[in-house]
Amino acid sequence: MEAPNPEFMREAIRLSIEKMQAGHGGPFGAVVVRNGEIIARGFNQVTSTHDPTCHAEVDAIRKACAALGTFQLTDCDLYTSCEPCPMCLGAIYWARPRRVFYGNTKQDAAAIGFDDQFIYEELEKPLDQRHLPMQPMLRDEALAGFRAWEQHEARLNY
C-alpha cells in the first residue's frame, strides 16, 4: 500500500479555505483518491444549499461513488481537512474506503464552534434519555418491507 501523499491533504485543505471564502459553507474540504489520482473533491455546502448533510466528506463520497459507478470505495483513500464528525464517520464506514487521513482534530473544530461532542454523548444514552425523543411505531407493519427485502431476487447485500 502506498504511503500517504501530503499533496492530497493539501488539496483538501485548499478546498476548505477556498470554498469557505467563496461562501459555500464551513471550512471543510475532502478528496477521494484511487490509484494515486483524485477521483472526487468535496467541500462543506451546508449553508449555501440549506442541507445539513452536505459536509465535505459526504459530498466527496457521493461524487466519487457516482464517478466510479459503485456504492463502495474499498480501493480508495479519503483525505479530509478535519477529523470527521459523527455523521460523516457513519457515511465513511458505509462507503468502506481503505484509509482516512485528516488534518484538524475534532478538538480544533470545537474550538471554532463546530462541537459535535453532544452527539457522541447522545449516542451512548438509552433512547428514553436522549434529548431528541425517539419512539417506535407500527413495527409490525414496517417489518413487511424487511420481509419483502429478504425475498427480493435482485437485492444487493451491502
Side-chain angles (χ1 to χ4, degrees):
M1 193 175 304
E2 67 273 5
N5 186 330
E7 291 308 310
F8 296 138
M9 182 58 73
R10 287 186 181 102
E11 177 63 4
I13 294 166
R14 184 192 70 75
L15 284 166
S16 76
I17 297 167
E18 176 186 296
K19 299 303 183 178
M20 177 270 302
Q21 289 177 333
H24 292 283
F28 304 95
V31 297
V32 175
V33 175
R34 181 180 184 211
N35 298 328
E37 177 184 341
I38 294 177
I39 300 301
R41 290 170 170 80
F43 52 94
N44 184 288
Q45 298 169 68
V46 169
T47 57
S48 62
T49 63
H50 309 288
D51 179 354
T53 70
C54 201
H55 290 200
E57 298 91 338
V58 172
D59 186 41
I61 288 168
R62 288 174 179 162
K63 290 173 179 173
C65 288
L68 297 173
T70 184
F71 53 86
Q72 294 185 344
L73 301 173
T74 53
D75 58 349
C76 298
D77 294 331
L78 176 68
Y79 291 78
T80 179
S81 65
C82 186
E83 185 175 354
C85 74
M87 178 187 69
C88 291
L89 190 57
I92 290 165
Y93 271 99
W94 280 117
R96 295 177 172 88
R98 287 186 311 181
R99 303 178 293 182
V100 176
F101 303 101
Y102 63 90
N104 295 309
T105 67
K106 63 184 179 182
Q107 292 82 6
D108 297 331
I112 64 164
F114 294 95
D115 190 354
D116 299 321
Q117 187 59 37
F118 76 97
I119 298 174
Y120 290 106
E121 292 169 4
E122 282 285 299
L123 292 173
E124 294 192 13
K125 294 179 183 177
L127 288 178
D128 64 349
Q129 293 177 20
R130 292 184 183 173
H131 177 56
L132 179 63
M134 296 185 142
Q135 177 178 334
M137 185 175 171
L138 300 178
R139 179 173 177 252
D140 290 338
E141 292 180 38
L143 283 171
F146 283 4
R147 285 191 289 276
W149 172 255
E150 288 178 315
Q151 304 302 316
H152 189 55
E153 292 179 18
R155 85 170 182 227
L156 293 174
N157 292 321
Y158 56 95

